[in-house]
Amino acid sequence: MSKAKQRLMLFFFILMYVGLAVAGFGVAYYIKVSFFAPTQSTSQSAKQATVTPIPAPKGWKTYTNTDFKLSFSYPPTDAAQTKSYGFGVSSVSMNTTNGNLDFQILFLPKTLASAVGQDFDSYYAMPDKTTKVIKSPLSQDSTTDNFTKIHDRTVNGNQALDYQSIASNAKPGTPAEIGTFIEVGNNLVLISTGRTNKENLEKMLSSFHYQQ
């Protein structure tokens, strides 16, 4: 996993907690009430269709997130490490046996993501092959990350989009990070990995299942 993607992930968390700290307990209460409502709007339900996930390759493990009501398979050589950050935000790092990061997965409420600048709807509306420049607050200079939307898609009936991201100061020939944003009800799932891991990413997405 590149430093560019790590900065982007930290960007989510830093802006989220700064906003919550300033707003205080009132905002925390609003988040709890608004984001975890048991019902979905008609428009959200209309975006989803019942699709049977494709069985994962033999021997793959299954990851289940009970809060988001979803599951998917991942390579048998990976070990999953989960971290919770509160307010419905958590992440999973899937590391290979040699300790290298294979997949990075972020779970967070959709409205909270939008509040910190990660607006799924605006990304979804972007034309294919469009690049959005993202400035990391952790950078000590003018370094930016170039976020490119590849195309819209569905993942087991859920609206999604594929993207790639690379630091503006990356050396020539440096491969971009790739990943997929998935909308699941009132929440978002962001799965990122390296370009050379695209085949396994597609296998993971094929096994993705969200229980409405």
Side-chain angles (χ1 to χ4, degrees), residues 133-190:
V133 178
I134 301 174
K135 174 68 170 65
S136 171
L138 298 181
S139 176
Q140 300 300 312
D141 51 30
S142 58
T143 301
T144 57
D145 295 333
N146 296 321
F147 174 93
T148 302
K149 172 189 171 181
I150 304 302
H151 58 75
D152 297 329
R153 63 181 299 176
T154 59
V155 175
N156 194 29
N158 300 283
Q159 280 197 146
L161 62 90
D162 288 339
Y163 74 91
Q164 69 177 31
S165 179
I166 189 169
S168 61
N169 63 348
K171 295 180 180 180
T174 300
E177 294 289 334
I178 63 170
T180 302
F181 273 100
I182 310 170
E183 182 184 47
V184 287
N186 296 319
N187 302 300
L188 291 178
V189 179
L190 169 58

Side-chain angles (χ1 to χ4, degrees), residues 59-169:
W60 277 40
K61 302 175 184 177
T62 299
Y63 173 83
T64 301
N65 186 310
T66 56
D67 292 332
F68 279 38
K69 300 180 181 179
L70 59 83
S71 64
F72 54 83
S73 298
Y74 62 98
T77 54
D78 285 0
Q81 297 180 339
T82 303
K83 292 183 179 180
S84 178
Y85 302 89
F87 302 107
V89 181
S90 61
S91 67
V92 178
S93 299
M94 295 184 171
N95 301 294
T96 61
T97 52
N98 59 10
N100 292 332
L101 187 60
D102 200 19
F103 290 95
Q104 182 75 48
I105 303 162
L106 177 67
F107 306 92
L108 74 168
K110 182 180 176 182
T111 309
L112 184 56
S114 179
V116 297
Q118 299 301 316
D119 186 354
F120 175 84
D121 291 334
S122 67
Y123 287 173
Y124 195 83
M126 289 169 59
D128 292 352
K129 310 300 183 182
T130 299
T131 298
K132 181 181 180 66
V133 178
I134 301 174
K135 174 68 170 65
S136 171
L138 298 181
S139 176
Q140 300 300 312
D141 51 30
S142 58
T143 301
T144 57
D145 295 333
N146 296 321
F147 174 93
T148 302
K149 172 189 171 181
I150 304 302
H151 58 75
D152 297 329
R153 63 181 299 176
T154 59
V155 175
N156 194 29
N158 300 283
Q159 280 197 146
L161 62 90
D162 288 339
Y163 74 91
Q164 69 177 31
S165 179
I166 189 169
S168 61
N169 63 348

Side-chain angles (χ1 to χ4, degrees), residues 15-32:
L15 290 187
M16 178 185 68
Y17 285 112
V18 168
L20 291 175
V22 172
F25 291 103
V27 174
Y29 177 79
Y30 171 80
I31 291 171
K32 180 178 180 181

